[in-house]
Amino acid sequence: QVQLVESGGGLVQAGGSLRLSCAASGRTFSNYVMGWFRQAPGKEREFVAAIRWSITSYADSVKGRFTISSDSAKNTVYLQMNSLKPEDTAVYYCAAGLSSTYYRENRYDYWGQGTHVTVSS
């Protein structure tokens, strides 16, 4: 059974940092695109970052502040979030898929349950 389990969310002040983790199990994800999406209250889910092998991509809103990385030995993907802003407040989801259209959520096959991030001003 494939599982993606996110952790690391919480409450942080503006300007602070958090590191989210996504532990994958049930299959080998080495050839998968691993993505992070987020959904703020009252808004649609949006792309944040993705990684496949060592190739990374970011939404413009987080470029320069967030870093996605992976540890294949641990089957885990990370999202280091620095210089956090109140507008980063959202539920953050990890996802896995094989499509190169990494910014579209409907191209992902597996999803985690999400982890909440709240950034106070």
Side-chain angles (χ1 to χ4, degrees), residues 12-119:
V12 65
Q13 288 188 331
S17 299
L18 281 175
R19 188 176 82 154
L20 306 183
S21 299
C22 171
S25 61
R27 70 180 308 144
T28 301
F29 287 91
S30 56
N31 290 323
Y32 276 69
V33 176
M34 302 299 295
W36 285 97
F37 287 75
R38 67 185 181 186
Q39 187 167 22
K43 295 188 177 181
E44 293 187 352
R45 191 153 56 182
E46 64 176 3
F47 169 75
V48 175
I51 186 168
R52 188 177 196 178
W53 304 310
S54 60
I55 301 169
T56 59
S57 299
Y58 298 92
D60 287 344
S61 59
V62 306
K63 206 170 289 184
R65 300 188 298 123
F66 290 11
T67 302
I68 188 171
S69 62
S70 64
D71 184 335
S72 58
K74 296 182 178 179
N75 233 16
T76 300
V77 177
Y78 303 98
L79 185 67
Q80 177 67 43
M81 306 186 296
N82 298 329
S83 302
L84 282 161
K85 305 175 182 179
E87 51 263 44
D88 294 318
T89 295
V91 178
Y92 283 71
Y93 297 91
C94 174
L98 288 171
S99 172
S100 58
T101 317
Y102 54 85
Y103 49 90
R104 293 193 182 276
E105 63 174 295
N106 63 0
R107 306 303 289 178
Y108 287 82
D109 302 308
Y110 305 105
W111 289 85
Q113 81 290 348
T115 185
H116 290 257
V117 172
T118 303
V119 184

